[in-house]
Structures are given as C-alpha cells and as structure tokens.
C-alpha cells in the first residue's frame, strides 16, 4: 500500500507458544492522547483493551521511558502496583503509540546475525559480531509512516529483536549481561541499500539512518516477562505479505554475547 509517496511496513515479534511462554507480561509504552499534555508513560492492560496511564496513577513518575528506566526498581515497582490494581483503561482508539524508547544515547546494531538469513544471502556466518549504528533521530513510532527518501531507489526492510539497556556498564561479562537489560521490543532496520552498499565509501551509516528508518515498538516488554529471548517468533509483513519469517533461536550471537562484546 502506497500512501502519499510513502510505504507502510510492519514488523511483529511474539512469544512462541510452548514451555517458554512467560508467566507474567509487563508491556510498557509511551503514548499521547488528545486530552493529555505531552507524552505519557503507560502500561498495556492485561485484557488487551487499551492503556493504563501510569502518570495519572502516580504523577511523580517520569514521563519518558529513559528517565523511568534510569530510576530502576523504584519506578518498576510502581508499574507493578498499577498492573495489579483495577484502574481505568484508555481505549486504543483514544491514544497514539510512540516509540517505547526515544532519544537514546546509542542505537547499536548487529549485521548478519541470523543463521537462516546468512544462508538466504549465500554469505558465510560471521566469526565475530558485525557492529553498525543508527542515529537516534531515525527512531519513530511503531505505526508511523516510513518516508521513502528521494535520494534512494532501494529501500529495504529487516525485522529485528531490540534489546533495551537499562543501566550503564563497561567490560560486562556475558554471565552478568542480562542484569543490564531493562527489556525487549521489536525494531525495524530499514535500509537504503544503494547508499549502504555502493555510496559513502561503502560505510553503512548513511544507508541505515535516514529519518524514519528505525520504527520501534509498540511496547517494551520487561526482562522478567520473557523467559527465553532466544525462542521468539519474529516476522515482517510488507503491504500485508509476509516477507520474513524466522525465530530468535537463529541468532548467531546471543544477547549476552553481544552485550559483552559491545561493552568492551
């Protein structure tokens, strides 16, 4: 579907049914609503009918996810109390979901990190992580339009598992790495392949970081809600057609290894 010279792409991440299904599920969001001033923090209701406004529940809470995560267990405990209480729910029709995390210090990405993807591309599986970056200005909400830049004729899609780091660290051991993770969300690594592969000296940055090239969300799923981040179904649809269908068990380097590697 083309909309005013723009193409809509959607990416979905869901827990695989079976023994690794999480027993509890906290899904944190950032959202806007016509009757509210500025962005608010929210919590998806357990029945799936809408959003619980955490800032209305406790006006002392920060209104951005980064500030919320920086305060650690103190703010997470408030969200847990809100989850357990019977609170009013804003229906989906009255809210606009934003990216669950906006303006992070870094967006660190890993290329060719799925075994099945490497086989599809007929390229060798990497021996060590291939790291690149996106500017945080490329982040948009999960349902925002992706703008096709006039300077590129080869815009492409890739669905990704996004790991949200909740606290600072350096030289982190793989065995300790998950303690630094606040949660997980879904990302869309949109790329201008002509800029990535043939222009700008074949450095990837410009081809990866046009405005709107990093849709995130809809929710940040807390770490304790995901029993196994390496057993999640992950797929991408373009104009209603499934173009990628995989599982995070295909990751070459797992989350713990990647955090340890990047923190060095």
């Amino acid at each position: 579907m083309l909309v005013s010279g723009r193409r809509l792409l959607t990416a979905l991440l869901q827990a695989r049914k079976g023994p690794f299904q999480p027993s509890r599920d906290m899904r944190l969001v950032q959202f806007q609503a016509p009757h509210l001033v500025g962005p608010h923090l929210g919590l998806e209701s357990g029945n799936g009918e809408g959003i619980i406004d955490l800032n209305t529940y406790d006006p002392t809470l920060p209104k951005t996810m980064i500030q919320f995560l920086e305060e650690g267990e103190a703010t997470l405990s408030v969200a847990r109390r809100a989850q357990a209480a019977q609170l009013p729910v804003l229906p989906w029709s009255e809210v606009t979901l934003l990216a669950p995390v906006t303006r992070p210090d870094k967006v660190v990405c890993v290329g060719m990190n799925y075994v099945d993807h490497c086989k599809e591309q007929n390229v060798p599986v990497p021996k060590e992580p291939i790291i690149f970056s996106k500017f945080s200005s490329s982040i948009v909400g999960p349902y925002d339009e992706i703008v096709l830049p006039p300077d590129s004729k080869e815009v492409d899609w890739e669905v990704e598992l996004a790991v949200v780091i909740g606290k600072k660290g350096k030289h982190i051991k793989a065995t300790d790495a998950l303690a630094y993770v606040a949660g997980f969300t879904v990302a869309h690594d949109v790329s201008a392949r002509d800029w990535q592969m043939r222009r700008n000296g074949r450095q990837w940055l410009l081809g990866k970081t046009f405005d709107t090239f990093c849709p995130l969300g809809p929710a940040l799923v807390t770490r304790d809600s995901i029993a196994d981040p390496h057993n999640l179904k992950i797929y991408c649809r373009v104009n209603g057609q499934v173009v990628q269908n995989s599982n995070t068990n295909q990751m070459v380097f797992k989350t713990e290894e990647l955090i340890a590697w990047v923190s060095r």
Side-chain angles (χ1 to χ4, degrees), residues 8-224:
L8 302 182
L9 302 90
T10 60
L12 299 173
L13 179 73
Q14 58 184 211
R16 180 178 179 181
K17 294 180 179 179
F20 296 112
Q21 191 73 6
S23 59
R24 52 182 174 152
D25 189 359
M26 181 178 288
R27 297 172 59 87
L28 297 164
V29 300
Q30 292 188 132
F31 72 98
Q32 290 179 322
H35 66 286
L36 299 174
V37 177
H40 274 224
L41 279 178
L43 181 67
E44 287 190 17
S45 64
N47 57 16
E49 292 182 353
I51 298 296
I52 297 168
D53 185 349
L54 289 176
N55 295 117
T56 298
Y57 173 71
D58 185 341
T60 67
L61 284 176
K63 290 190 175 181
T64 69
M65 189 70 73
I66 287 180
Q67 292 175 319
F68 178 90
L69 296 177
E70 285 176 344
E71 296 192 17
E73 184 58 32
T75 47
L76 280 171
S77 63
V78 175
R80 292 191 192 100
R81 291 198 298 271
Q83 188 178 37
Q86 298 294 321
L87 298 175
V89 174
L90 296 172
W92 295 112
S93 59
E94 296 182 11
V95 302
T96 299
L97 287 177
L98 309 173
V101 178
T102 46
R103 299 182 181 178
D105 289 340
K106 299 176 184 178
V107 181
V108 181
C109 309
V110 188
M112 305 305 296
N113 197 41
Y114 283 77
V115 173
D116 53 355
H117 182 56
C118 292
K119 291 179 178 177
E120 289 170 2
Q121 301 295 316
N122 197 28
V123 297
V125 174
K127 300 294 185 182
E128 62 183 28
I130 300 172
I131 303 297
F132 64 95
S133 299
K134 286 177 175 281
F135 294 146
S136 62
S137 58
S138 65
I139 293 175
V140 291
Y143 306 115
D144 291 345
E145 293 180 345
I146 295 170
V147 179
L148 300 180
D151 285 328
S152 175
K153 304 302 180 184
E154 297 179 21
V155 176
D156 202 0
W157 55 81
E158 283 186 283
V159 60
E160 303 288 354
L161 172 68
V163 181
V164 181
I165 302 300
K167 61 181 180 179
K168 292 182 179 180
K170 193 170 182 65
H171 300 296
I172 299 167
K173 295 179 181 179
T175 52
D176 300 330
L178 288 183
Y180 290 80
V181 174
F184 302 89
T185 189
V186 66
H188 205 128
D189 175 22
V190 185
S191 307
R193 297 297 189 198
D194 38 5
W195 279 88
Q196 177 189 356
M197 300 299 187
R198 296 189 297 279
R199 303 186 65 177
N200 193 43
R202 296 186 179 181
Q203 295 189 44
W204 287 15
L205 179 64
L206 290 186
K208 292 285 188 176
T209 202
F210 282 91
D211 288 346
T212 76
F213 269 26
C214 189
L216 281 182
L220 186 158
V221 184
T222 56
R223 183 186 72 240
D224 58 355

